[in-house]
Amino acid sequence: SSIAYYLPKDWQRPWLWTGGALTLMLLAAWLLKKGKDWRGLVFMSTAVVTVFLLFGPMVHRNYLLWVIPLYCVVLAWSAYPAEKSRVD
């Protein structure tokens, strides 16, 4: 399970609200960024998934079946220079 499962009951709701606020801030940061590209979109998606896994109320081990390959792609992609493919 996620971290929220192990928190005291009175801390769980603020923890979930913090995760939601952090997710919205990450998405707003990407949307307001000039020069959006596919690389930034993939990195931001990975950040949002990470926030979901850290702040979600429950994380099943099956989530890792699709998250770990995503992290591997992002890690491999980060070794190459940024390309200039724009997202319109």
Side-chain angles (χ1 to χ4, degrees), residues 44-59:
M44 191 58 62
S45 300
T46 305
V48 169
V49 168
T50 302
V51 169
F52 170 74
L53 290 175
L54 285 175
F55 288 90
M58 184 175 150
V59 176

Side-chain angles (χ1 to χ4, degrees), residues 15-88:
W15 182 260
L16 296 176
W17 279 102
T18 302
L22 186 56
T23 301
L24 291 176
M25 287 189 298
L26 285 170
L27 291 173
W30 187 80
L31 288 172
L32 296 175
K33 178 183 159 189
K34 292 182 181 179
K36 297 178 188 78
D37 59 354
W38 287 108
R39 181 185 183 104
L41 177 64
V42 171
F43 287 163
M44 191 58 62
S45 300
T46 305
V48 169
V49 168
T50 302
V51 169
F52 170 74
L53 290 175
L54 285 175
F55 288 90
M58 184 175 150
V59 176
H60 195 271
R61 63 183 173 269
N62 287 344
Y63 289 154
L64 299 177
L65 293 175
W66 59 268
V67 170
I68 290 174
L70 176 64
Y71 287 150
C72 292
V73 167
V74 169
L75 184 63
W77 200 352
S78 65
Y80 295 98
E83 43 183 50
K84 298 297 180 188
S85 59
R86 294 193 36 89
V87 177
D88 294 322

